[in-house]
Amino acid sequence: MAATPPLVTRFAPSPTGLLHLGHAHSALQGWRRAREAGGRFLLRLEDIDPGRCRPDFADAILEDLAWLGLDWDGEVRVQSRHLPEYRAALDALAARGLLYPCFCTRADIAREVAASAAAPHLAAVGPDGPLYPGTCRRLSEDERAARIARGEAHALRLDMARAVSSVPPLSFEEEGQGRLRCDPARFGDAVLARKDAPASYHLCVTHDDALQGVTLVTRGEDLKPATDLHRLLQALMGWPEPAYAHHGLLTDAAGRRLAKRDRAATLRDLRAAGRSPAEVRALAGVPD
Ligand code: GLU
């Protein structure tokens, strides 16, 4: 009988603010699953967006998690230190004709959507916002080359129709729900490298889960739709497929999802107010 591979989970926050109880809930889920199974729990800082991420938040995240009583295996992976690896993945997709440069600004896209849809309010919206109308997909190779040579800023978009047609129908294993069918096309031509960031969340998270051997992705259910796109990238790149366990999101007394704006719920503030790590673990919905 083949041995079951060890469970590898991870917590992958973006250092765009202080951790709140919702993050603690998520981190504790992954940590507990790994520890109960004698597996590995990894920590990754997804700091690929230079406009939103800050080193002081990164330091605070590590400190808060340690205070909460979490330990992690191996070194913390810091995405901004691995840009050439993401570049190599982008190059591999580009070499297969699956990416194209997009020079559009947000305003260009909004104008195009408004002009092309008979009823703009019916314009398709995907999990990451309005679907890209495909303007730059239709540019000739010569025009692309000329605009890049002129130094025009551009993003890199996935040619979704081409990507989807080059892989078999996809699904993923959601714990407790079995196999769920994927519909990555609902993202349209997703951005995989932004004008202002060398690679997108979708590319980096999928790359790193594969590289680090993550076998179970535990994360909030707000990211469940993204799994369709992540499975597509895994299939295109030949990366292994982890299982997924999307958990419910913590809400405040009014039933609103906890967010970074709710300062009262940061681990820092709870700690300053005299709460113990055990109390905060219980507040985060994962009691000892
Ligand atoms: N870095 C993402 C965030 O902070 C989470 C990534 C993931 O768990 O897939 O929301």
mmCIF file of all heavy atoms in Angstrom, residues 249-275:
data_model
loop_
_atom_site.group_PDB
_atom_site.id
_atom_site.type_symbol
_atom_site.label_atom_id
_atom_site.label_comp_id
_atom_site.label_asym_id
_atom_site.label_seq_id
_atom_site.Cartn_x
_atom_site.Cartn_y
_atom_site.Cartn_z
ATOM 1 N N LEU A 249 -15.912 32.800 7.277
ATOM 2 C CA LEU A 249 -15.238 34.016 7.749
ATOM 3 C C LEU A 249 -15.858 34.466 9.064
ATOM 4 O O LEU A 249 -17.077 34.370 9.247
ATOM 5 C CB LEU A 249 -15.382 35.123 6.702
ATOM 6 C CG LEU A 249 -14.827 34.774 5.317
ATOM 7 C CD1 LEU A 249 -15.121 35.906 4.330
ATOM 8 C CD2 LEU A 249 -13.335 34.499 5.374
ATOM 9 N N LEU A 250 -15.004 34.955 9.964
ATOM 10 C CA LEU A 250 -15.527 35.493 11.231
ATOM 11 C C LEU A 250 -16.273 36.792 10.954
ATOM 12 O O LEU A 250 -15.856 37.576 10.104
ATOM 13 C CB LEU A 250 -14.382 35.782 12.205
ATOM 14 C CG LEU A 250 -13.638 34.607 12.820
ATOM 15 C CD1 LEU A 250 -12.790 35.107 13.991
ATOM 16 C CD2 LEU A 250 -14.573 33.513 13.279
ATOM 17 N N THR A 251 -17.318 37.020 11.689
ATOM 18 C CA THR A 251 -18.063 38.274 11.517
ATOM 19 C C THR A 251 -18.146 38.989 12.862
ATOM 20 O O THR A 251 -17.938 38.386 13.919
ATOM 21 C CB THR A 251 -19.501 37.990 11.019
ATOM 22 O OG1 THR A 251 -20.090 37.015 11.882
ATOM 23 C CG2 THR A 251 -19.509 37.477 9.599
ATOM 24 N N ASP A 252 -18.438 40.299 12.799
ATOM 25 C CA ASP A 252 -18.597 41.051 14.040
ATOM 26 C C ASP A 252 -20.036 40.879 14.555
ATOM 27 O O ASP A 252 -20.834 40.147 13.962
ATOM 28 C CB ASP A 252 -18.227 42.533 13.845
ATOM 29 C CG ASP A 252 -19.143 43.246 12.853
ATOM 30 O OD1 ASP A 252 -20.210 42.692 12.520
ATOM 31 O OD2 ASP A 252 -18.779 44.351 12.414
ATOM 32 N N ALA A 253 -20.332 41.571 15.644
ATOM 33 C CA ALA A 253 -21.647 41.393 16.273
ATOM 34 C C ALA A 253 -22.773 41.734 15.298
ATOM 35 O O ALA A 253 -23.867 41.182 15.371
ATOM 36 C CB ALA A 253 -21.739 42.262 17.516
ATOM 37 N N ALA A 254 -22.484 42.646 14.348
ATOM 38 C CA ALA A 254 -23.520 43.052 13.388
ATOM 39 C C ALA A 254 -23.563 42.111 12.173
ATOM 40 O O ALA A 254 -24.293 42.374 11.219
ATOM 41 C CB ALA A 254 -23.264 44.486 12.936
ATOM 42 N N GLY A 255 -22.747 41.061 12.226
ATOM 43 C CA GLY A 255 -22.762 40.101 11.117
ATOM 44 C C GLY A 255 -21.893 40.524 9.951
ATOM 45 O O GLY A 255 -21.890 39.885 8.911
ATOM 46 N N ARG A 256 -21.101 41.618 10.140
ATOM 47 C CA ARG A 256 -20.227 42.056 9.052
ATOM 48 C C ARG A 256 -18.914 41.306 9.133
ATOM 49 O O ARG A 256 -18.378 41.089 10.220
ATOM 50 C CB ARG A 256 -19.933 43.559 9.162
ATOM 51 C CG ARG A 256 -21.099 44.449 8.815
ATOM 52 C CD ARG A 256 -20.646 45.890 8.828
ATOM 53 N NE ARG A 256 -19.663 46.136 9.906
ATOM 54 C CZ ARG A 256 -18.906 47.223 9.990
ATOM 55 N NH1 ARG A 256 -18.999 48.144 9.076
ATOM 56 N NH2 ARG A 256 -18.070 47.381 10.991
ATOM 57 N N ARG A 257 -18.382 40.982 7.969
ATOM 58 C CA ARG A 257 -17.111 40.285 7.912
ATOM 59 C C ARG A 257 -16.001 41.143 8.535
ATOM 60 O O ARG A 257 -15.950 42.345 8.289
ATOM 61 C CB ARG A 257 -16.832 40.036 6.428
ATOM 62 C CG ARG A 257 -15.573 39.374 6.153
ATOM 63 C CD ARG A 257 -15.382 39.329 4.650
ATOM 64 N NE ARG A 257 -13.964 39.271 4.442
ATOM 65 C CZ ARG A 257 -13.364 39.424 3.286
ATOM 66 N NH1 ARG A 257 -14.071 39.651 2.222
ATOM 67 N NH2 ARG A 257 -12.065 39.352 3.192
ATOM 68 N N LEU A 258 -15.128 40.533 9.343
ATOM 69 C CA LEU A 258 -14.034 41.301 9.946
ATOM 70 C C LEU A 258 -13.061 41.735 8.865
ATOM 71 O O LEU A 258 -12.727 40.975 7.978
ATOM 72 C CB LEU A 258 -13.274 40.447 10.966
ATOM 73 C CG LEU A 258 -14.033 40.022 12.209
ATOM 74 C CD1 LEU A 258 -13.086 39.266 13.138
ATOM 75 C CD2 LEU A 258 -14.609 41.222 12.939
ATOM 76 N N ALA A 259 -12.621 42.973 8.958
ATOM 77 C CA ALA A 259 -11.684 43.474 7.960
ATOM 78 C C ALA A 259 -10.666 44.336 8.667
ATOM 79 O O ALA A 259 -10.792 44.630 9.861
ATOM 80 C CB ALA A 259 -12.426 44.272 6.896
ATOM 81 N N LYS A 260 -9.659 44.761 7.884
ATOM 82 C CA LYS A 260 -8.568 45.503 8.501
ATOM 83 C C LYS A 260 -9.032 46.820 9.104
ATOM 84 O O LYS A 260 -8.378 47.379 9.961
ATOM 85 C CB LYS A 260 -7.448 45.708 7.491
ATOM 86 C CG LYS A 260 -6.698 44.405 7.294
ATOM 87 C CD LYS A 260 -5.625 44.439 6.249
ATOM 88 C CE LYS A 260 -4.953 43.057 6.197
ATOM 89 N NZ LYS A 260 -4.416 42.682 4.952
ATOM 90 N N ARG A 261 -10.185 47.317 8.631
ATOM 91 C CA ARG A 261 -10.677 48.592 9.172
ATOM 92 C C ARG A 261 -11.114 48.446 10.637
ATOM 93 O O ARG A 261 -11.173 49.426 11.371
ATOM 94 C CB ARG A 261 -11.853 49.099 8.344
ATOM 95 C CG ARG A 261 -13.038 48.162 8.354
ATOM 96 C CD ARG A 261 -14.272 48.689 7.665
ATOM 97 N NE ARG A 261 -15.326 47.704 7.793
ATOM 98 C CZ ARG A 261 -15.539 46.732 6.930
ATOM 99 N NH1 ARG A 261 -14.801 46.629 5.848
ATOM 100 N NH2 ARG A 261 -16.477 45.837 7.136
ATOM 101 N N ASP A 262 -11.407 47.202 11.086
ATOM 102 C CA ASP A 262 -11.922 47.018 12.452
ATOM 103 C C ASP A 262 -10.768 46.917 13.428
ATOM 104 O O ASP A 262 -10.381 45.844 13.846
ATOM 105 C CB ASP A 262 -12.769 45.741 12.526
ATOM 106 C CG ASP A 262 -13.919 45.803 11.555
ATOM 107 O OD1 ASP A 262 -14.653 46.800 11.579
ATOM 108 O OD2 ASP A 262 -14.060 44.866 10.761
ATOM 109 N N ARG A 263 -10.240 48.056 13.801
ATOM 110 C CA ARG A 263 -9.026 48.073 14.619
ATOM 111 C C ARG A 263 -9.212 47.300 15.928
ATOM 112 O O ARG A 263 -8.285 46.676 16.420
ATOM 113 C CB ARG A 263 -8.627 49.526 14.927
ATOM 114 C CG ARG A 263 -7.508 49.987 14.042
ATOM 115 C CD ARG A 263 -6.744 51.160 14.644
ATOM 116 N NE ARG A 263 -5.488 50.732 15.230
ATOM 117 C CZ ARG A 263 -5.156 50.963 16.485
ATOM 118 N NH1 ARG A 263 -5.949 51.604 17.289
ATOM 119 N NH2 ARG A 263 -3.993 50.559 16.944
ATOM 120 N N ALA A 264 -10.400 47.352 16.468
ATOM 121 C CA ALA A 264 -10.628 46.721 17.767
ATOM 122 C C ALA A 264 -10.307 45.234 17.735
ATOM 123 O O ALA A 264 -9.969 44.657 18.759
ATOM 124 C CB ALA A 264 -12.072 46.924 18.191
ATOM 125 N N ALA A 265 -10.406 44.646 16.554
ATOM 126 C CA ALA A 265 -10.218 43.196 16.494
ATOM 127 C C ALA A 265 -8.787 42.796 16.172
ATOM 128 O O ALA A 265 -8.516 41.633 15.953
ATOM 129 C CB ALA A 265 -11.173 42.597 15.470
ATOM 130 N N THR A 266 -7.827 43.774 16.132
ATOM 131 C CA THR A 266 -6.454 43.347 15.835
ATOM 132 C C THR A 266 -5.887 42.587 17.032
ATOM 133 O O THR A 266 -6.252 42.838 18.189
ATOM 134 C CB THR A 266 -5.496 44.509 15.477
ATOM 135 O OG1 THR A 266 -5.279 45.302 16.649
ATOM 136 C CG2 THR A 266 -6.037 45.364 14.343
ATOM 137 N N LEU A 267 -4.970 41.667 16.735
ATOM 138 C CA LEU A 267 -4.341 40.901 17.819
ATOM 139 C C LEU A 267 -3.566 41.841 18.744
ATOM 140 O O LEU A 267 -3.526 41.639 19.954
ATOM 141 C CB LEU A 267 -3.420 39.829 17.235
ATOM 142 C CG LEU A 267 -4.069 38.832 16.267
ATOM 143 C CD1 LEU A 267 -3.138 37.664 15.991
ATOM 144 C CD2 LEU A 267 -5.403 38.314 16.785
ATOM 145 N N ARG A 268 -2.954 42.882 18.133
ATOM 146 C CA ARG A 268 -2.231 43.883 18.926
ATOM 147 C C ARG A 268 -3.110 44.488 20.017
ATOM 148 O O ARG A 268 -2.716 44.629 21.163
ATOM 149 C CB ARG A 268 -1.798 45.048 18.031
ATOM 150 C CG ARG A 268 -0.641 44.779 17.135
ATOM 151 C CD ARG A 268 0.595 44.766 17.938
ATOM 152 N NE ARG A 268 1.495 43.768 17.403
ATOM 153 C CZ ARG A 268 2.706 44.039 16.973
ATOM 154 N NH1 ARG A 268 3.169 45.254 17.001
ATOM 155 N NH2 ARG A 268 3.478 43.062 16.541
ATOM 156 N N ASP A 269 -4.296 44.910 19.603
ATOM 157 C CA ASP A 269 -5.179 45.593 20.543
ATOM 158 C C ASP A 269 -5.700 44.634 21.610
ATOM 159 O O ASP A 269 -5.825 45.000 22.779
ATOM 160 C CB ASP A 269 -6.350 46.239 19.798
ATOM 161 C CG ASP A 269 -5.902 47.466 19.012
ATOM 162 O OD1 ASP A 269 -4.774 47.927 19.256
ATOM 163 O OD2 ASP A 269 -6.659 47.941 18.164
ATOM 164 N N LEU A 270 -5.989 43.413 21.202
ATOM 165 C CA LEU A 270 -6.482 42.441 22.179
ATOM 166 C C LEU A 270 -5.402 42.151 23.213
ATOM 167 O O LEU A 270 -5.672 42.037 24.413
ATOM 168 C CB LEU A 270 -6.916 41.155 21.456
ATOM 169 C CG LEU A 270 -8.153 41.348 20.569
ATOM 170 C CD1 LEU A 270 -8.289 40.194 19.574
ATOM 171 C CD2 LEU A 270 -9.410 41.440 21.440
ATOM 172 N N ARG A 271 -4.171 42.078 22.711
ATOM 173 C CA ARG A 271 -3.039 41.830 23.605
ATOM 174 C C ARG A 271 -2.853 43.007 24.552
ATOM 175 O O ARG A 271 -2.675 42.827 25.758
ATOM 176 C CB ARG A 271 -1.804 41.630 22.722
ATOM 177 C CG ARG A 271 -0.537 41.359 23.438
ATOM 178 C CD ARG A 271 0.536 41.176 22.377
ATOM 179 N NE ARG A 271 1.847 41.053 22.938
ATOM 180 C CZ ARG A 271 2.950 40.912 22.211
ATOM 181 N NH1 ARG A 271 2.876 40.874 20.897
ATOM 182 N NH2 ARG A 271 4.116 40.800 22.790
ATOM 183 N N ALA A 272 -2.919 44.225 24.001
ATOM 184 C CA ALA A 272 -2.747 45.431 24.824
ATOM 185 C C ALA A 272 -3.862 45.539 25.857
ATOM 186 O O ALA A 272 -3.672 46.095 26.936
ATOM 187 C CB ALA A 272 -2.722 46.669 23.926
ATOM 188 N N ALA A 273 -5.020 44.986 25.517
ATOM 189 C CA ALA A 273 -6.155 45.046 26.448
ATOM 190 C C ALA A 273 -6.060 43.945 27.510
ATOM 191 O O ALA A 273 -6.989 43.781 28.315
ATOM 192 C CB ALA A 273 -7.467 44.926 25.671
ATOM 193 N N GLY A 274 -4.970 43.168 27.477
ATOM 194 C CA GLY A 274 -4.740 42.190 28.537
ATOM 195 C C GLY A 274 -5.245 40.790 28.244
ATOM 196 O O GLY A 274 -5.218 39.920 29.118
ATOM 197 N N ARG A 275 -5.696 40.547 27.014
ATOM 198 C CA ARG A 275 -6.157 39.190 26.674
ATOM 199 C C ARG A 275 -4.950 38.251 26.565
ATOM 200 O O ARG A 275 -3.902 38.634 26.049
ATOM 201 C CB ARG A 275 -6.876 39.195 25.324
ATOM 202 C CG ARG A 275 -8.086 40.095 25.262
ATOM 203 C CD ARG A 275 -9.255 39.479 25.989
ATOM 204 N NE ARG A 275 -10.488 40.139 25.612
ATOM 205 C CZ ARG A 275 -11.677 39.589 25.717
ATOM 206 N NH1 ARG A 275 -11.814 38.372 26.211
ATOM 207 N NH2 ARG A 275 -12.761 40.244 25.361
#
